[in-house]
Amino acid sequence: MEQVLELFRNISIRDVADMVIVAFVFYKLYMLIRETRAEQLIKGILVLLIATPLSGWLQLHVINWILKNTMTVGFIALLIVFQPELRRALEYIGRTKFLTKSIVDIEEEEIKNTVGELVDAVGSLSRQKIGALIVIERETGLSEVVETGTQIGGRISSGLLINIFIPNTPLHDGAVVIRKSQILAAGCLLPLTDNPNISKALGTRHRAAIGITERSDSMVVIVSEETGVISVAENGKLKRFLDTKKLSDILLQSYKAEENRQWQFLKMKWRNKDE
């Protein structure tokens, strides 16, 4: 008991701060890998870390030798196996405001026009039960996705979006990528989610929407071809059964939140320069 009390007496504020920072980093890492392949792989690695010293203590020499050599090359294997998760983590760090500038800097009037055109198109597609997949780029660039489709480079309009997704047309069976108020490309291919907990009722379109939001900070609007149901995917999560009013609120909140954060960041920089 005296040793425990002595240990607490020797803990300084710096030690507490150190532990809090480490705990916060581990929490963020857990949030990044939660409900992904990496979560199961981490459990397997923990088993190996426990089994290695345990096999040495039990004098299981062959097993201990195999485990030690496995751990030696394990670091290189981890870089390969966890490549998607590592990329996602680095992109998350890169999206912090002291390292990047937001690409969503549309003025308020333009935001309203852009969201209005998007909602009108989605509402029309939903009523006609025409499938659609619309990716809205934020801070993480989607140039790799754009390259898989046909570049358009036109301003957003409900008529253009509806025509793109009309069945049996060349670009209908793919995703549209939007940057600011411009349609970059159509007919783009998206990565499917690796999440094993996704409902079996969801088709490829919804799985692709979740997949791209797991790998970037983009937002995706989905219209189901079978039911006409409107959904929004963000941060690997899916919001379903939305009406046009709710969709408009979500899009406006997203655009304006990004714009407000950008203005606050710029004001802070100006204030620091003045001081």
Side-chain angles (χ1 to χ4, degrees):
M1 190 64 182
E2 285 295 330
Q3 292 178 345
V4 174
L5 292 174
E6 185 64 26
L7 179 64
F8 278 104
R9 291 193 195 102
N10 293 330
I11 295 177
S12 65
I13 296 176
R14 185 177 298 175
D15 295 327
V16 174
D18 189 20
M19 289 185 287
V20 169
I21 291 170
V22 171
F24 178 76
V25 169
F26 274 102
Y27 170 75
K28 284 296 184 181
L29 288 173
Y30 171 73
M31 295 302 291
L32 283 170
I33 68 171
R34 187 179 59 174
E35 296 182 354
T36 65
R37 276 186 319 173
E39 185 177 10
Q40 303 303 320
L41 292 171
I42 288 291
K43 292 178 181 177
I45 291 170
L46 290 175
V47 171
L48 289 177
L49 290 174
I50 295 171
T52 301
L54 184 62
S55 62
W57 180 69
L58 294 174
Q59 297 185 356
L60 303 174
H61 302 297
V62 176
I63 295 176
N64 185 254
W65 181 86
I66 293 173
L67 290 175
K68 280 185 176 180
N69 282 276
T70 300
M71 297 302 293
T72 302
V73 298
F75 180 73
I76 298 174
L78 283 177
L79 292 178
I80 299 171
V81 173
F82 286 109
Q83 189 270 339
E85 285 75 18
L86 288 172
R87 178 177 176 179
R88 185 181 173 195
L90 291 173
E91 286 179 348
Y92 177 84
I93 295 170
R95 290 198 295 268
T96 55
K97 292 302 172 183
F98 58 89
L99 291 176
T100 188
K101 178 181 177 181
S102 174
I103 64 169
V104 186
D105 53 2
I106 313 171
E107 294 180 358
E108 186 171 353
E109 191 63 33
E110 192 172 1
I111 288 174
K112 290 180 180 178
N113 291 335
T114 300
V115 171
E117 294 291 335
L118 273 170
V119 172
D120 287 345
V122 171
S124 177
L125 293 168
S126 174
R127 288 189 295 272
Q128 299 176 69
K129 293 186 179 180
I130 297 175
L133 196 56
I134 303 171
V135 182
I136 301 171
E137 184 189 69
R138 288 174 168 172
E139 294 171 5
T140 302
L142 299 176
S143 297
E144 294 178 359
V145 175
V146 170
E147 289 172 359
T148 65
T150 301
Q151 295 193 17
I152 294 178
R155 287 185 63 83
I156 292 175
S157 69
S158 58
L160 179 55
L161 284 171
I162 291 169
N163 281 324
I164 287 172
F165 289 111
I166 291 295
N168 301 320
T169 55
L171 302 178
H172 86 283
D173 194 18
V176 162
V177 178
I178 290 174
R179 176 185 294 164
K180 299 182 181 180
S181 59
Q182 190 178 48
I183 300 175
L184 292 183
C188 300
L189 303 178
L190 303 182
L192 299 180
T193 178
D194 294 322
N195 189 345
N197 300 318
I198 298 296
S199 170
K200 301 297 183 183
L202 297 177
T204 305
R205 186 175 281 109
H206 292 82
R207 292 176 180 273
I210 295 171
I212 191 63
T213 61
E214 289 174 341
R215 291 163 173 78
S216 71
D217 63 340
S218 59
M219 175 184 284
V220 184
V221 180
I222 314 105
V223 178
S224 171
E225 188 173 7
E226 290 77 19
T227 62
V229 169
I230 301 170
S231 307
V232 169
E234 188 176 13
N235 297 322
K237 305 296 182 182
L238 194 65
K239 297 177 183 177
R240 303 190 67 197
F241 305 105
L242 305 176
D243 55 21
T244 53
K245 175 65 170 62
K246 184 63 176 176
L247 175 64
S248 179
D249 291 342
I250 291 173
L251 292 176
L252 283 171
Q253 184 179 2
S254 174
Y255 274 104
K256 289 182 178 180
E258 291 291 336
E259 186 185 36
N260 289 338
R261 282 198 291 269
Q262 176 65 14
W263 275 110
Q264 290 172 3
F265 176 64
L266 291 175
K267 286 178 181 178
M268 189 179 297
K269 285 179 66 177
W270 292 335
R271 189 182 299 117
N272 291 338
K273 287 181 180 179
D274 292 339
E275 290 175 355

